[in-house]
């Protein structure tokens, strides 16, 4: 496939981990094989997320082929145990400069269920969403403007009302694209659509076209069958510019991204909108929020008791 790794040409480009000083371990999610470290770099905060790429037959073969030095831990008859430092292909994601939003996303915290009524949405969530700086969505605008990730984009229709883009998610390992590594983002062009709460029956043709386009791309470019792709929204999302996650059924999604109370299947959303145009405007949606975050504080400010 033609999607290539992202390049950067700016003077600020980061090309090594020289100068990164680890200050704190933010998250240690062994199941997702991920460590998130809070670092300082050039006097500003950075979130560095390190995760080994898949440990597979080829990595085992290249470990042996590397002729790596072995330190004997134990030997008994023909049984030898060693420790060895093997080069391990590793995915490194860096957010720099990182704000409190980026750091808090990784820091462990307590979560509470929220049974969000339309009134709670209006009084707390919408106020929180209104306080988010527009720069938080700069990465999305950059993709639509062709300024970033242009060589990775799989589909782009810039029509302001009916357009959308399909692009690999940051979590997708682009160095080894196999069906099981497929994790795409489909982002709608209309930035007035912030979440499922803004969807009405009039958006059904858009949702149908998104589904058909994504499944075609999956078939034609990524060797994925329709039955292997899950498509879902997050409620609450981290970025309030409507997008759909497209994930292979064998992809391990770290951070609870496919948990109930977080992921809502595209098919379910379409069916509910068919039954009732303002379903998502009127429904009580059960989700969760992390304590001590600006979104949680918005509930407090609106005098809404979350019974935490
Ligand atoms: O939780 P939420 O539904 O808002 O998820 C947003 C998704 O966008 C996550 O799966 C991120 O990995 C993905 N994402 C975030 N950023 C900043 C980028 C980016 O710059 N490029 C791409 N391709 N995906 C991103």
């Amino acid at each position: 496939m033609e999607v290539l790794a992202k390049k950067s040409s700016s003077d600020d480009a980061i090309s090594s981990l020289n100068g990164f000083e680890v200050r704190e371990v933010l998250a240690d999610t062994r199941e997702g094989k991920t460590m998130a470290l809070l670092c300082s770099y050039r006097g500003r905060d950075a979130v560095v997320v390190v995760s080994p790429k898949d440990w597979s037959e080829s990595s085992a073969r290249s470990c042996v082929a590397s002729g790596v030095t072995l330190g004997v831990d134990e030997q008994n008859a023909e049984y030898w145990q060693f420790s060895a430092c093997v080069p391990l292909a590793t995915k490194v994601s860096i957010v720099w400069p990182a704000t409190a939003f980026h750091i808090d996303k990784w820091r462990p915290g307590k979560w509470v269920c929220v049974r969000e009524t339309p009134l709670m949405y209006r009084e707390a969530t919408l106020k929180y969403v209104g306080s988010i700086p527009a720069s938080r969505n700069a990465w999305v605008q950059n993709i639509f403007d062709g300024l970033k990730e242009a060589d990775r984009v799989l589909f782009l229709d810039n029509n302001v009302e009916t357009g959308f883009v399909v692009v690999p998610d940051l979590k997708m390992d682009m160095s080894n694209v196999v069906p099981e590594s497929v994790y795409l983002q489909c982002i709608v062009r209309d930035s007035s659509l912030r979440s499922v709460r803004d969807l009405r029956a009039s958006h059904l043709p858009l949702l149908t076209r998104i589904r058909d386009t994504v499944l075609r791309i999956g078939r034609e470019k990524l060797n994925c069958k329709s039955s292997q792709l899950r498509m879902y929204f997050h409620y609450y999302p981290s970025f309030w510019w409507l997008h759909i996650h497209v994930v292979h059924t064998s992809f391990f999604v770290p951070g609870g991204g496919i948990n109930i109370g977080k992921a809502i299947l595209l098919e379910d959303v379409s069916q509910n909108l068919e039954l009732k145009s303002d379903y998502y405007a009127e429904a009580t949606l059960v989700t969760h929020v992390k304590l001590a975050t600006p979104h949680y504080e918005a509930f407090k400010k609106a005098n809404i008791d979350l019974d935490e």
Side-chain angles (χ1 to χ4, degrees), residues 139 149 167-171 183 185 234 237-239 243 245:
W139 67 274
E149 308 192 34
V167 66
D169 191 281
L170 283 189
K171 297 190 194 82
Y183 191 149
Q185 275 303 325
H234 277 166
S238 324
F239 299 96
H243 54 274
H245 299 248

Side-chain angles (χ1 to χ4, degrees), residues 111-133:
W111 293 79
V112 282
C113 283
V114 181
R115 288 164 190 79
E116 189 193 67
T117 61
L119 183 68
M120 289 162 70
Y121 171 66
R122 275 196 304 280
E123 294 301 313
T125 298
L126 262 193
K127 288 190 177 148
Y128 156 67
V129 174
S131 74
I132 299 172

